[in-house]
Amino acid sequence: MHGTDKKDILKDFEEFKAYLKKQVDLGKKFGLDDGKIIKSAAILGDYLAKHEEPQNGEEMLLQELWRVADEDEKQRLAQLLVKLVDTE
């Protein structure tokens, strides 16, 4: 979340999705394939789960899912989040 006020991004789930969509679009612009974009989303998920407090119900649910997921499930959850924002 470099260069952006993370409080603004995390205060509202729609803001978080907009931020993630912007990053996905940027990754595609630079030629990253879906696998690398999903891996980056998983890294972001790990960071958020370990270092940030959920600011709303959606983030709390995502954090709980992330906490109980194994590595394959985390990759799948990251893939679903990327798909969610990529279709908007």
Side-chain angles (χ1 to χ4, degrees), residues 28-72:
K28 287 182 178 187
K29 181 180 177 182
F30 286 118
L32 295 179
D33 63 29
D34 287 343
K36 289 180 182 173
I37 291 171
I38 292 165
K39 184 175 181 178
S40 296
I43 291 168
L44 176 61
D46 278 337
Y47 171 82
L48 292 173
K50 292 176 184 172
H51 301 288
E52 299 296 333
E53 288 296 319
Q55 301 297 309
N56 52 59
E58 294 92 345
E59 290 173 7
M60 189 174 294
L61 174 61
L62 284 173
Q63 187 180 58
E64 287 297 310
L65 289 171
W66 203 263
R67 184 181 61 77
V68 299
D70 63 26
E71 289 305 312
D72 289 336

Side-chain angles (χ1 to χ4, degrees), residues 4-54:
T4 309
D5 187 2
K6 67 181 171 183
K7 288 182 183 180
D8 288 339
I9 295 168
L10 297 176
K11 72 180 176 183
D12 179 77
F13 191 64
E14 293 303 315
E15 289 292 326
F16 172 72
K17 289 191 323 183
Y19 172 80
L20 186 56
K21 178 168 180 44
K22 182 179 174 183
Q23 299 308 308
V24 168
D25 291 345
L26 188 62
K28 287 182 178 187
K29 181 180 177 182
F30 286 118
L32 295 179
D33 63 29
D34 287 343
K36 289 180 182 173
I37 291 171
I38 292 165
K39 184 175 181 178
S40 296
I43 291 168
L44 176 61
D46 278 337
Y47 171 82
L48 292 173
K50 292 176 184 172
H51 301 288
E52 299 296 333
E53 288 296 319

